[in-house]
Amino acid sequence: MVLVLACILPAAIMVGGLIAFQYQQERESLTDDAIGEARTLAFAVDQRLLIVKAGLTALATSRSLRAGDLSSFYEEAKATVPELNAENIVLLGPDGQMILNTLKPFGTPLPANKASQLTQVLQSGKAVFADLFMGSVAGKRRVAVGVPVIHDGKVAYSINASITPERLQTILLQPRLTPDWIAAIYDNTGAVVARTRDQQRFVGVKGTPVVAKRVNEVAEGAMQGTTLEGDPVIAAFSRSGLSGWTVVIAIPRDSLTAGLRRSMLWLGAGTLLLLAFTLALAQALGNGIVRTTQELIAPALALGSGELLSAPLPEPSFREAAQVGQALAQAAGILSGATRALTQSEARLRAIVESAMDAVIIVDEDHRIILFNAAAETLFGYSRQEALVGSVERLVPERRRDEFAARLDAFGRNGNRYRRSTQVLFGLHRGGKEFPIDAAISQFVEDGKRIYTFIIRDVSERDRAHADLVRSNLDLQQFAFVASHDLRTPLRSIEGYLHLLEKRYGPGLDAKALDLIHRASNAVLTLDRLTEDLLSYASLDAQAKPFTTIDCNEILADTVRLMEEVITESNASIVSAGPLPTVLGDRTQLVQLFQNLLSNSITYCEGQPPQIRITSNLDSDAMWTVSVADNGIGIESRHHERIFEVFKRLHTSSEYPGTGIGLAVCRRVVGRHGGRIWVDSADGRGSTFSFTLPTIPEPRHDQAT
Ligand code: ADP
């Protein structure tokens, strides 16, 4: 309905406006016509007056009048009256006294002199058109034309012809004039001289002041006003320049607006009719739209609630509905695909969560458990149904609950996505037993609320195994320490006895026996070195000291000093290319590290004097890398890993002396300092042993201040 109104109303208003405009135009042209008509009538009145004036001027030249034969002139005048279509002719004497009047027989005594417009002729010697006056003889209203009679340059008489209003009315009664129009002649005083309607009643009556005023202002025009009867009219007028009289034509305003009213009525009726018809049409179309739309509601709802469109879509009654229907069908397809994918991914996720070895627990913002997987059931001893009605706090030992809740909320507030516990946490089993756990937490936001996911692992086993390992390590170290320490005493004795044997019985023994004694001594020496090395390896942890700031340049210098003898003997050159870093570490162990590497480089060389080059550089991970490169025999790449194991050697003692513990010590020292060690080498091409050491962390600003 609104649509229809929106379509029709502007058009109707437009047509109304056009009609009003047309009416205005018409009114203007009608007024122009009326003014023209008034002009024509004023002209006709002028013609009439001029004819009378001409007739009178001709009469003024009468010989009988010049000769003073007034009775003959009377006859002449009487004969002229009908020619001029006048009422009568009057002759006034120079004093203005009426001498003869064709209405009265010649010689009849006439009324006495009376000053009037007509007597002005005598004074001015010019023709006069007199306004409406009351004739003294006939006693009736009339207008008159007066001309002077000049004898010997003087005004001797004035001849006047009077015209009755009835005669002037005949000029106005034109068949051309529209019947309901009123035409009227007003004289210079504004009195009605003639009128097409109710002449008798209104002759001599003054016109309405509005009209009179306007008529005095301009010679021609139109205005709104009222008739003498009081009817509203448009008045068009034209004033004669000759007599100064004005012809007014009044057009009743009603008749003018009647056309407009009629048009407006037709327009209104037409609009209403069109409206009714269009509304009916719209209703019919609208019903189709409503029906189709309503039929689409059910499929749309089915789609929204996740049901697929089982029934075919309704037959649409318009194109857009068909498009909506198609879109719905398409959406159904997309939705079904998405639902299937969602179901599948949900099933997969559920399978992952359910088969996870770790407990997976999801809790909402209020710490209520909303997911509890099978591993969680086993770990905490609650069934899923039991767990889902409680809060996550019940899984935490009571003494830790408040702290736990506060920390969980803080994690939620600071918005971190993920966090893993750095300290040992404890879970609480349903049975009341506490156990150590490793936990990670993550969060996401669902419907504006935080959801937390916990992944929890029971680390009882791991902790136990670790404790066992530490214990067994300690035992082993203890054992190695005791063994190596205790072994050295009998070794010393054997060495002493062998020495005694050689000294006391040496001269009596043959070369073979002496060789055997030497071999036994060497074996004891090797065994002693081995136990010593083993001792130093075993006591690495036991003798560890707290880390201090250590300049590696000093360590190198100390090491070189310690090895001075070997270095000189082997003629080795040791070059440090650039300064070495300062790190946090254990001085003794770092000396041990450098000593082992340098002594290896000196030991494993072939003939030529060993050349050892020590370099360092800082890499991107804030780690120093220190490298010790030699020109020795090199190591095949397949041995690069195993040489760092205890007792792993690539040569026999007769080839190169050694126990196979040096690099194992190096690895442990570097490991204890937070670095790693490796070798780059190829057989016969020298070896480069490199190890990393962490840089000293920058002091934190807050701590520094
Ligand atoms: P040891 O030197 O007492 O035998 P290490 O643990 O120090 O024991 O070395 C293990 C093995 O690695 C050595 O036997 C040797 O074969 C090899 N090796 C170590 N350093 C070097 C080196 N600079 N050049 C060549 N081989 C080396």
Side-chain angles (χ1 to χ4, degrees):
M1 197 152 144
V2 172
L3 199 66
V4 168
L5 281 178
C7 290
I8 287 183
L9 276 190
I13 289 169
M14 175 96 174
V15 171
L18 274 176
I19 289 175
F21 177 72
Q22 184 72 25
Y23 162 71
Q24 192 65 29
Q25 296 277 91
E26 219 168 85
R27 182 179 140 155
E28 268 167 31
S29 86
L30 207 68
T31 315
D32 284 349
D33 285 357
I35 292 172
E37 206 60 58
R39 198 185 303 131
T40 312
L41 288 175
F43 185 69
V45 171
D46 280 359
Q47 286 305 108
R48 180 87 176 76
L49 294 177
L50 283 174
I51 288 168
V52 174
K53 186 191 165 197
L56 291 179
T57 309
L59 205 59
T61 58
S62 154
R63 271 201 217 119
S64 42
L65 190 61
R66 180 167 269 276
D69 181 3
L70 291 175
S71 96
S72 301
F73 178 73
Y74 177 86
E75 289 311 319
E76 267 178 57
K78 199 154 181 165
T80 313
V81 169
E83 275 173 35
L84 296 185
N85 198 11
E87 192 60 24
N88 65 340
I89 289 179
V90 171
L91 185 70
L92 299 183
D95 53 356
Q97 177 56 48
M98 196 187 290
I99 297 172
L100 59 86
N101 185 333
T102 55
L103 287 179
K104 294 277 179 177
F106 184 69
T108 318
L110 294 165
N113 171 25
K114 213 168 90 191
S116 74
Q117 265 184 306
L118 290 171
T119 53
Q120 285 172 17
V121 179
L122 297 164
Q123 284 129 35
S124 66
K126 281 182 184 157
V128 162
F129 301 95
D131 294 330
L132 197 69
F133 63 96
M134 186 62 82
S136 51
V137 174
K140 285 184 180 163
R141 288 177 199 280
R142 56 203 57 207
V143 293
V145 180
V147 298
V149 178
I150 314 262
H151 284 169
D152 305 328
K154 278 192 189 153
V155 182
Y157 305 98
S158 133
I159 309 172
N160 307 326
S162 70
I163 307 160
T164 56
E166 288 74 25
R167 287 183 199 274
L168 284 176
Q169 190 194 27
T170 53
I171 301 172
L172 299 180
L173 289 170
Q174 294 283 341
R176 274 214 312 279
L177 237 48
T178 314
D180 58 348
W181 291 11
I182 303 168
I185 302 168
Y186 288 85
D187 66 12
N188 285 299
T189 67
V192 174
V193 176
R195 201 170 189 265
T196 48
R197 188 186 299 165
D198 286 343
Q199 154 121 334
Q200 290 302 327
R201 192 174 144 206
F202 290 114
V203 163
V205 173
K206 295 271 162 112
T208 50
V210 187
V211 178
K213 184 167 174 282
R214 179 88 178 124
V215 163
N216 274 336
E217 284 165 4
V218 288
E220 223 173 66
M223 78 196 118
Q224 303 240 17
T226 47
T227 59
L228 291 168
E229 293 93 332
D231 300 327
V233 288
I234 306 284
F237 62 89
S238 178
R239 193 171 65 226
S240 152
L242 187 70
S243 58
W245 298 349
T246 307
V247 174
V248 178
I249 293 176
I251 310 160
R253 230 180 295 163
D254 271 358
S255 82
L256 206 62
T257 49
L260 179 72
R261 271 207 306 275
R262 225 177 4 259
S263 304
M264 285 298 187
L265 210 70
W266 277 115
L267 176 71
T271 307
L272 279 178
L273 218 71
L274 194 64
L275 206 62
F277 171 73
T278 321
L279 280 180
L281 199 68
Q283 173 84 27
L285 286 173
N287 280 345
I289 295 174
V290 169
R291 181 180 47 74
T292 314
T293 312
Q294 279 170 348
E295 282 171 355
L296 282 173
I297 290 174
L301 283 178
L303 197 63
S305 60
E307 292 167 30
L308 298 181
L309 293 180
S310 44
L313 285 164
E315 195 57 42
S317 67
F318 58 105
R319 198 180 55 213
E320 286 75 9
Q323 287 169 347
V324 174
Q326 272 167 14
L328 275 181
Q330 248 174 17
I334 295 167
L335 197 68
S336 94
T339 311
R340 204 176 317 116
L342 199 68
T343 317
Q344 283 169 355
S345 105
E346 242 175 28
R348 277 183 220 137
L349 268 179
R350 206 177 305 122
I352 292 170
V353 169
E354 279 310 308
S355 61
M357 309 268 281
D358 292 335
V360 179
I361 300 171
I362 298 183
V363 305
D364 67 12
E365 208 168 54
D366 305 322
H367 304 187
R368 270 193 307 267
I369 297 175
I370 53 178
L371 186 143
F372 203 72
N373 75 342
E377 287 182 316
T378 318
L379 191 59
F380 290 96
Y382 290 100
S383 74
R384 188 162 305 163
Q385 287 72 19
E386 286 167 334
L388 289 182
V389 294
S391 79
V392 71
E393 272 87 352
R394 74 203 287 198
L395 308 177
V396 178
E398 214 166 327
R399 64 196 150 82
R400 292 279 180 89
R401 273 180 199 164
D402 291 346
E403 185 200 346
F404 165 78
R407 289 178 69 165
L408 180 57
D409 289 337
F411 173 73
R413 271 196 304 278
N414 75 19
N416 281 350
R417 218 171 60 78
Y418 176 81
R419 189 178 150 82
R420 194 181 167 157
S421 61
T422 48
Q423 43 185 291
V424 182
L425 303 174
F426 289 93
L428 181 66
H429 191 269
R430 186 186 184 181
K433 217 178 117 204
E434 285 184 23
F435 54 94
I437 55 167
D438 195 1
I441 180 171
S442 63
Q443 65 171 316
F444 62 93
V445 176
E446 192 179 86
D447 295 337
K449 299 219 159 182
R450 291 199 181 88
I451 303 288
Y452 305 104
T453 305
F454 290 93
I455 310 268
I456 299 164
R457 179 175 299 176
D458 181 358
V459 290
S460 311
E461 269 313 308
R462 191 189 69 186
D463 279 7
R464 208 174 297 130
H466 184 252
D468 289 352
L469 201 67
V470 169
R471 208 178 311 117
S472 93
N473 256 356
L474 274 176
D475 288 353
L476 261 174
Q477 270 176 28
Q478 197 68 23
F479 168 74
F481 188 77
V482 170
S484 50
H485 190 268
D486 290 1
L487 267 174
R488 295 189 79 184
T489 320
L491 273 177
R492 292 269 152 70
S493 305
I494 297 170
E495 195 190 357
Y497 289 134
L498 283 173
H499 190 67
L500 266 179
L501 187 65
E502 193 187 1
K503 204 172 154 192
R504 283 195 196 166
Y505 306 100
L509 293 175
D510 59 2
K512 212 166 180 185
L514 279 174
D515 181 48
L516 283 174
I517 290 174
H518 270 133
R519 283 187 189 212
S521 286
N522 276 343
V524 168
L525 211 66
T526 309
L527 203 59
D528 186 47
R529 216 178 291 146
L530 193 70
T531 45
E532 192 185 333
D533 282 357
L534 202 60
L535 194 63
S536 74
Y537 181 80
S539 56
L540 258 182
D541 283 335
Q543 290 174 359
K545 291 192 203 92
F547 285 2
T548 52
T549 309
I550 284 163
D551 181 353
C552 289
N553 296 295
E554 286 176 19
I555 299 288
L556 180 62
D558 286 357
T559 313
V560 170
R561 215 172 299 126
L562 275 174
M563 297 175 65
E564 207 172 348
E565 206 182 320
V566 194
I567 294 169
T568 320
E569 255 174 36
S570 61
N571 204 14
S573 88
I574 299 174
V575 186
S576 167
L580 298 177
T582 298
V583 296
L584 282 179
D586 181 329
R587 175 172 284 272
T588 320
Q589 292 188 348
L590 289 179
V591 171
Q592 237 174 329
L593 169 67
F594 273 92
Q595 201 176 354
N596 284 346
L597 292 177
L598 291 182
S599 87
N600 276 354
S601 292
I602 292 170
T603 307
Y604 299 101
C605 70
E606 258 186 335
Q608 83 255 44
Q611 286 178 356
I612 305 164
R613 191 180 153 80
I614 301 161
T615 53
S616 73
N617 74 292
L618 184 65
D619 62 22
S620 54
D621 300 333
M623 294 290 270
W624 288 105
T625 302
V626 180
S627 302
V628 179
D630 62 42
N631 58 340
I633 57 168
I635 306 160
E636 279 182 65
S637 63
R638 62 195 169 101
H639 300 307
H640 285 182
E641 273 302 320
R642 54 187 291 259
I643 52 170
F644 290 98
E645 290 167 21
V646 187
F647 299 139
K648 286 287 159 25
R649 306 202 66 225
L650 305 179
H651 309 277
T652 58
S653 293
S654 52
E655 284 174 306
Y656 295 99
T659 55
I661 288 180
L663 287 179
V665 169
C666 289
R667 186 160 73 172
R668 282 197 66 187
V669 168
V670 172
R672 275 202 68 227
H673 282 75
R676 63 187 190 93
I677 185 167
W678 70 98
V679 64
D680 293 304
S681 174
D683 200 13
R685 296 247 211 94
S687 320
T688 302
F689 282 85
S690 305
F691 59 89
T692 58
L693 291 174
T695 52
I696 301 176
E698 293 261 324
R700 270 181 40 205
H701 188 64
D702 50 355
Q703 283 173 348
T705 54

